[in-house]
Amino acid sequence: MKIAVCVKQVPDSWAEKKMSGQVLDRAGVDAVLNDLDEYAVEEALRIVEAHSPTKEAGEGSGHTITLISMGPERATEAIRKALSMGADNAIHISDDALAGSDALATSLVLAKVISTEGFDLVICGTESTDARMSVVPAMLAQRLGWAALTFAGSVIVEPENSKVLIARSTEFGVENMSAAFPVVVSVNEKINEPRYPSFKGIMAAKKKTITAKSLSDLGIAASAVGASAAWSSVKDSLLRPARSSGIKVEDSGDGGNQLAAFLAEKRVI
Amino acid sequence: MSQVLILVDSVGGQVSKSTGELATFGSRLGSVTAVVFEPALAAQLNGFSIANVVVVTGVDTSKYSPAPVAEALAQLITSKSATALLVTSSARGKEIAGMVAVISNSGLITDAIDVDADRITTQSVFGGGTTVHSAVTTPTAVITMRSNSIEVVAGSGTPTQEEFAPTISEAAKLAVVNSTEPAVKGGRPELTEASIVVSGGRGTNGDFKPIEALADVLGAAVGASRAATDAGWYPHTHQVGQTGKTVSPQLYVACGISGAIQHRAGMQTSKLIVAVNKDPEAPIFELSDFGVVGDLFNVLPVATAAITAKKA
């Protein structure tokens, strides 16, 4: 199988984020591999391990895991992290014209790479912790004309039948879905426990190939992406006034009654 | 007058509360057409700000989801020259919206909490710390609206009704739903739609009974912090926070939750926040309208009894 995993470098989700003009201020915060993409990398590794004669990913498994990432130069740090978990190689799309791209442009670029390279399976996290739109996997499937199996809580791949089965929790209950290759899958954070890169993995990652691609390599016009091509624009942003802390009482047996009295005063009960 | 489409949500054959909210927002932008994929839902749409109901025929949403829904909506956008499509900000809603945006070449805004007559949206981002106003520049705007963002304004009259038979591509039928196991329904409201949420965290030590008792007397949904769900104390589907659900209820009661930034990201826009925590320095108190420093196992039963007495 040829498996692709889409990964993104994002500001550390534990850091306070703020806007800089019309976009998120990315310079002022630590950048890390999107937490939710680690589950996608882990799931790809588990799928390969389950179908590898050596029970390991990498050479000899008969399968490849390629990371695809769009982002500035420094996104290579996040890519190396995912490589150190065990992915085989990576494609890094970097171009100044991509700055400020919306989800529509992001999905356009990723879909171009995926269709050019050809994969059986593309795995994504459900969302990035910065924009939190969770629409790119669905957009990718739509652009590629592939099946979308999204928000999966479990994934079973049957390479011999070229088939993917997932279960996902929705408002309606648990849906069991399936589709034939090629498929775009997005996995949620309950699906597995991502491994920590081993020392051996970190050393091996330094030697793995990251292929750099620009927009012209992909045959995408600079005018089709970036902030100027975005179909929505931020007019303004303001810091919400910090929530001031209200009343705080010590419980000496009566705290519950005071709580109830507060709710009554606010007419909640 | 501009035409606005709203996608009607339903669970178990009942129109969801969020439909009234979408209709209220939609009526600011133009004449509202509600789109349903189950004919039985059309009769439940009286009394909202809805002028017209389109019943989509020939789409088996229980078998193929959600690509055919997206294709049908994109075709309706074209036939109605709609200036906006409003969808609820659920996982499914966002997925449908993303697909529609691609098919119809439309700008997309997700998780809006407000939209005005000029299609300017308001979003609360970065865990509620920043408010962003955005405009969509394409002829049609696809917008997903967060639940509990507006008081539903009742409309009058009975909407007109029509049928629409879309053309569904083979590609939209590639992902197949083989079976659905219905959600186990507790007596409690759905987490993201509830007007009151009572959540428990590490401080419960795995015992959610006092949380559930308070939730039930308030008619509230039960939430949990990531610490609690990761420990296996409560199902992951109830997790509130950056990697879980985002809620914005009228009242959020955080019990034994310290208030790490990842949790705050999921509940900070609640209208009223009440916290109970043993640690007087817990960050949750910084954003609470009312805080009780104390053991939740002492405070909650007293509060539950007092609320029960007040309601009696």
Side-chain angles (χ1 to χ4, degrees):
Chain A
M1 281 176 289
K2 278 185 79 180
I3 301 176
V5 180
C6 298
V7 297
K8 184 181 181 185
Q9 188 183 50
V10 297
D12 190 344
S13 62
W14 291 91
E16 292 280 358
K17 293 189 271 279
K18 60 183 196 317
M19 296 288 280
S20 165
Q22 292 188 307
V23 294
L24 169 61
D25 177 6
R26 292 173 191 275
V29 285
D30 286 341
V32 298
L33 173 63
N34 177 35
D35 296 2
L36 298 171
D37 294 343
E38 292 186 22
Y39 299 90
V41 176
E42 178 65 34
E43 198 59 25
L45 290 166
R46 290 184 186 201
I47 290 166
V48 167
E49 286 161 359
H51 298 287
S52 159
T54 60
K55 301 293 167 207
E56 283 181 25
E59 261 179 73
S61 71
H63 308 286
T64 55
I65 300 172
T66 301
L67 306 169
I68 302 177
S69 188
M70 178 177 127
E73 280 298 300
R74 75 166 178 169
T76 48
E77 298 159 24
I79 295 170
R80 290 279 175 211
K81 162 99 189 273
L83 285 172
S84 67
M85 288 174 72
D88 297 293
N89 53 50
I91 297 169
H92 180 189
I93 310 109
S94 191
D95 201 306
D96 290 345
L98 287 167
S101 289
D102 60 8
L104 287 149
T106 303
S107 65
L108 179 79
V109 172
L110 295 176
K112 190 69 198 273
V113 175
I114 291 164
S115 61
T116 307
E117 300 290 322
F119 292 97
D120 300 305
L121 185 57
V122 172
I123 308 180
C124 308
T126 45
E127 64 182 27
S128 62
T129 56
D130 51 358
R132 300 202 64 194
M133 294 181 76
S134 72
V135 295
V136 167
M139 286 180 163
L140 271 181
Q142 187 65 45
R143 289 196 186 281
L144 293 162
W146 294 10
L149 299 177
T150 49
F151 304 102
S154 69
V155 176
I156 296 169
V157 178
E158 297 176 353
E160 64 282 12
N161 301 323
S162 301
K163 192 174 176 188
V164 183
L165 301 103
I166 68 146
R168 63 180 197 166
S169 291
T170 70
E171 299 89 313
F172 313 109
V174 176
E175 286 182 341
N176 297 300
M177 300 181 70
S178 63
F181 287 169
V183 182
V184 177
V185 172
S186 77
V187 299
N188 68 21
E189 74 288 358
K190 289 121 202 169
I191 195 164
N192 57 42
E193 192 58 50
R195 66 197 67 189
Y196 287 102
S198 64
F199 180 70
K200 192 174 147 223
I202 293 167
M203 296 312 287
K206 292 182 199 281
K207 299 197 192 83
K208 289 177 179 169
T209 309
I210 301 179
T211 307
K213 287 203 188 287
S214 65
L215 285 173
S216 61
D217 294 334
L218 297 174
I220 295 174
S223 59
V225 296
S228 58
W231 285 336
S232 59
S233 62
V234 170
K235 297 187 76 68
D236 61 58
S237 68
L238 35 129
L239 278 176
R240 185 189 163 101
R243 261 194 117 101
S244 50
S245 45
I247 309 153
K248 189 156 98 177
V249 299
E250 289 275 347
D251 178 42
S252 49
D254 200 36
N257 287 323
Q258 289 171 282
L259 197 164
F262 174 79
L263 296 183
E265 180 200 320
K266 293 290 178 188
R267 300 185 181 280
V268 183
I269 55 169
Chain B
M1 195 173 189
S2 298
Q3 293 293 313
V4 178
L5 300 179
I6 65 170
L7 174 61
V8 174
D9 258 338
S10 68
V11 175
Q14 291 296 311
V15 167
S16 305
K17 189 179 126 195
S18 58
T19 300
E21 299 187 21
L22 295 181
T24 305
F25 281 122
S27 63
R28 293 177 178 174
L29 304 173
S31 174
V32 175
T33 293
V35 184
V36 299
F37 287 77
E38 293 171 51
L41 299 178
Q44 298 175 39
L45 297 173
N46 300 336
F48 292 114
S49 308
I50 295 172
N52 183 27
V53 177
V54 170
V55 179
V56 178
T57 58
V59 177
D60 186 354
T61 51
S62 63
K63 187 170 182 204
Y64 305 110
S65 169
V69 174
E71 287 192 348
L73 289 170
Q75 288 164 31
L76 273 169
I77 285 174
T78 308
S79 74
K80 299 271 176 200
S81 303
T83 54
L85 165 67
L86 306 185
V87 180
T88 305
S89 268
S90 57
R92 177 171 179 269
K94 291 210 254 183
E95 182 173 34
I96 290 169
M99 289 177 167
V100 173
V102 167
I103 302 169
S104 68
N105 286 328
S106 299
L108 170 67
I109 299 284
T110 54
D111 288 308
I113 55 170
D114 199 9
V115 58
D116 70 12
D118 299 320
R119 285 200 326 192
I120 307 290
T121 58
T122 306
Q123 289 160 293
S124 181
V125 300
F126 311 150
T130 303
T131 301
V132 173
H133 294 111
S134 302
V136 169
T137 53
T138 48
T140 308
V142 179
I143 304 168
T144 78
M145 305 293 312
R146 203 174 269 177
S147 294
N148 281 328
S149 295
I150 195 171
E151 284 285 321
V152 174
V153 176
S156 57
T158 306
T160 57
Q161 196 171 320
E162 63 184 288
E163 289 196 348
F164 178 73
T167 312
I168 304 301
S169 72
E170 288 308 306
K173 297 178 185 168
L174 291 171
V176 180
V177 180
N178 301 307
S179 63
T180 304
E181 298 148 31
V184 184
K185 276 277 161 203
R188 302 194 183 97
E190 213 278 312
L191 186 56
T192 53
E193 286 207 339
S195 344
I196 303 178
V197 175
V198 182
S199 285
R202 210 183 293 274
T204 63
N205 271 317
D207 181 1
F208 266 65
K209 281 193 213 76
I211 311 288
E212 291 180 335
L214 178 60
D216 288 342
V217 70
L218 289 169
V222 173
S225 71
R226 181 158 184 183
T229 58
D230 278 355
W233 297 341
Y234 222 69
H236 272 294
T237 45
H238 291 258
Q239 185 191 322
V240 172
Q242 180 134 39
T243 54
K245 290 186 170 143
T246 301
V247 298
S248 195
Q250 298 296 324
L251 168 66
Y252 188 87
V253 187
C255 310
I257 293 175
S258 65
I261 188 165
Q262 293 211 337
H263 187 74
R264 283 173 11 216
M267 46 66 75
Q268 198 161 217
T269 53
S270 306
K271 314 293 177 293
L272 204 59
I273 298 174
V274 171
V276 180
N277 203 298
K278 271 197 283 199
D279 175 9
E281 303 301 322
I284 192 76
F285 288 124
E286 291 165 20
L287 54 146
S288 299
D289 300 287
F290 189 86
V292 182
V293 181
D295 189 334
L296 69 94
F297 290 98
N298 299 329
V299 176
L300 297 194
V302 174
T304 304
I307 293 164
T308 309
K310 273 186 207 298
K311 286 199 162 179

